[in-house]
Amino acid sequence: MIEDIARKIIFDIKPYVPGKPIEEVERELGIKNIIKMASNENPFGPSPKSMAAMKEALERISLYPDGNCFYLREALAKKICVELDNIIVGNGSDEILKLIAETFLDPGDEIVIAQPSFSEYEFVGKIMGASCVFVPLKDFTHDLEAMSKAVNEKTKIVFICNPNNPTGTVVTKFQADEFLKDLDPRVLVVFDEAYYEYVDHKEYPESLEYVGEQQNVITLRTFSKIYGIAGQRIGYGVAKPEIISAVNRVREPFNVNTLAQVGALAALEDDEHLKRSFQGNLEGKEYLTRWFQEKGLYYVPTQANFIFLQVGVDCQKVFKEMLGEGVIVRTGDIFGYPDFIRVTIGTMEENERFTRTLEKVISRLK
Ligand SMILES: *Cc1c(COP(=O)(O)O)cnc(C)c1O
């Protein structure tokens, strides 16, 4: 029996529920022209400069990648005004989350996580045998006061997903300052800022400012969302050098592939693509929220490229019916909200198809 030889802990891990890939839906339902609004990828695609750089780098694919991601770290350091040894690059920020867990967590340690939030925190914690302490959101937002109270002498890491996935809400600078002021300085705080580039909230904290201070803070960002290269798997973490060098001890030597490094570097330098993507998201957000208001549907105001929306009927049914019409969304039940869905803001064409389809589906189900 595999159960006798595998680590007991792994049977306690809930499998990740990914957004359904387009190819899978095509295969299963035999329909074409499917749109995916389920995983918060950039609907405007990658930067053309990024694609060109990757095509060129294809020639060098027989060689191992640069294990230190030197040129990318150099460009990042310059852009965000830190030193090279403040930066670690990972095979997606998912990998960095796992490396952080492997670096800091022993069985019996505790981690504090908001609920609902990004499921990877629980996943990486459980793999290491840590206990997860869940703190419910307040008004769909991290309740940092309650999270502060959940910290005890066993706590090793607190995860702050900002903006939060799936709700799109942010904690403010004031809240983050207060939280960090009272925190035991031994605790590591992870600011997961996968949607950083979409934020336009005036009170959004600049978490990189915490990195140089007393507290143990690591900020995570990614090239999977606004930069549009989710398929390449690349993200980065910023922290003080002691933290980075500890995490580097558990990192595989060639964790980030060549095309990802080259593609990310070029994406970083394409401001135009970034602006276009931000603007397109803003227009999509305005269109969708206006439509939700007109239809009397409750939604959580978002700082990201997705919206958590109350459809008022069973989300699984909505999901299946929408799927049948070729529109892939995320169900809210996995986050504890069985009549919500999470939809990625798409291109205008996708957004219009989404609203048309949703209207049809809801009236069919009511
Ligand atoms: C998408 C997402 C990530 C993962 O990003 P990768 O860099 O693709 O691994 C991390 N955190 C949150 C909150 C996300 O939504």
Side-chain angles (χ1 to χ4, degrees):
M1 289 290 275
I2 290 302
E3 283 75 6
D4 297 330
I5 57 172
R7 294 168 62 220
K8 295 282 166 291
I9 222 102
I10 69 153
F11 298 103
D12 199 27
I13 294 170
K14 290 187 216 127
Y16 180 71
V17 189
K20 241 178 167 5
I22 288 175
E23 295 78 6
E24 191 177 308
V25 180
E26 280 181 350
R27 215 166 44 233
E28 289 175 358
L29 299 181
I31 52 176
K32 286 267 180 253
N33 202 5
I34 292 159
I35 54 172
K36 186 181 179 201
M37 302 173 84
S39 301
N40 309 336
E41 294 119 331
N42 185 338
F44 305 101
S47 136
K49 288 182 181 153
S50 178
M51 281 192 284
M54 288 190 279
K55 272 184 193 150
E56 199 184 286
L58 203 50
E59 309 270 343
R60 288 182 273 125
I61 215 72
S62 58
L63 303 176
Y64 278 104
D66 172 11
N68 289 316
C69 295
F70 179 82
Y71 292 111
L72 178 60
R73 282 195 305 130
E74 186 183 53
L76 281 168
K78 208 162 149 199
K79 190 176 177 91
I80 61 178
C81 301
V82 299
E83 302 296 322
L84 251 82
D85 60 4
N86 288 120
I87 302 175
I88 183 169
V89 185
N91 193 300
S93 39
D94 282 356
E95 188 202 20
I96 306 180
L97 286 168
K98 198 165 177 187
L99 297 178
I100 291 169
E102 288 170 346
T103 306
F104 292 97
L105 299 178
D106 278 318
D109 288 343
E110 290 187 3
I111 58 179
V112 176
I113 307 172
Q115 194 170 43
S117 190
F118 191 46
S119 64
E120 286 288 298
Y121 314 139
E122 176 180 0
F123 171 71
V124 300
K126 279 214 172 135
I127 286 181
M128 298 310 296
S131 306
C132 303
V133 177
F134 293 102
V135 178
L137 300 179
K138 195 169 135 189
D139 299 330
F140 293 98
T141 310
H142 279 60
D143 183 353
L144 288 188
E145 275 181 44
M147 289 178 83
S148 182
K149 290 193 186 108
V151 172
N152 62 36
E153 62 286 350
K154 287 189 194 155
T155 309
K156 283 277 187 73
I157 308 176
V158 179
F159 291 93
I160 301 177
C161 187
N162 202 35
N164 187 44
N165 181 356
T167 55
T169 51
V170 295
V171 300
T172 63
K173 175 171 160 50
F174 177 76
Q175 291 164 339
D177 285 348
E178 291 295 304
F179 173 79
L180 289 170
K181 208 165 66 189
D182 294 339
L183 187 70
D184 178 344
R186 293 176 318 128
V187 174
L188 177 69
V189 181
V190 177
F191 283 94
D192 184 348
E193 299 183 341
Y195 304 95
Y196 171 82
E197 298 82 4
Y198 285 111
V199 175
D200 61 5
H201 195 291
K202 287 192 181 57
E203 292 165 59
Y204 185 67
E206 195 47 79
S207 69
L208 294 180
E209 283 173 10
Y210 303 131
V211 162
E213 292 180 12
Q214 189 60 33
Q215 294 94 351
N216 290 319
V217 167
I218 183 161
T219 295
L220 302 182
R221 293 187 188 155
T222 181
F223 288 94
S224 299
K225 305 290 156 64
I226 206 166
Y227 286 108
I229 52 171
Q232 281 295 357
R233 313 301 306 122
I234 181 164
Y236 62 98
V238 186
K240 50 189 171 196
E242 304 93 281
I243 295 177
I244 297 295
S245 75
V247 179
N248 264 324
R249 287 175 174 270
V250 298
R251 182 174 67 80
E252 294 285 345
F254 303 113
N255 61 325
V256 183
N257 74 71
T258 302
L259 297 190
Q261 292 186 37
V262 166
L265 181 58
L268 204 59
E269 286 162 356
D270 192 348
D271 275 336
E272 205 185 308
H273 173 261
L274 194 78
K275 282 203 193 103
R276 216 180 314 121
S277 303
F278 177 87
Q279 199 55 34
N281 186 66
L282 203 60
E283 284 160 21
K285 176 160 84 173
E286 278 162 12
Y287 165 77
L288 287 172
T289 53
R290 208 174 319 119
W291 190 84
F292 298 153
Q293 284 165 20
E294 277 167 23
K295 301 294 166 189
L297 295 173
Y298 176 79
Y299 66 92
V300 184
T302 184
Q303 281 291 307
N305 67 338
F306 54 84
I307 304 178
F308 203 45
L309 166 72
Q310 188 169 32
V311 286
V313 281
D314 179 1
C315 67
Q316 280 292 341
K317 289 187 181 147
V318 173
F319 171 78
K320 286 206 191 81
E321 297 276 322
M322 300 277 293
L323 202 62
E325 306 279 343
V327 181
I328 316 173
V329 296
R330 252 329 166 55
T331 58
D333 53 356
I334 50 172
F335 304 112
Y337 289 84
D339 70 338
F340 277 64
I341 59 170
R342 191 195 68 193
V343 60
T344 303
I345 299 167
T347 61
M348 215 32 110
E349 197 183 326
E350 289 171 336
N351 295 329
E352 284 168 359
R353 181 159 156 208
F354 167 78
T355 53
R356 271 200 311 277
T357 311
L358 183 66
E359 183 159 38
K360 201 158 70 174
V361 164
I362 291 182
S363 69
R364 213 187 285 158
L365 290 172
K366 270 220 168 112

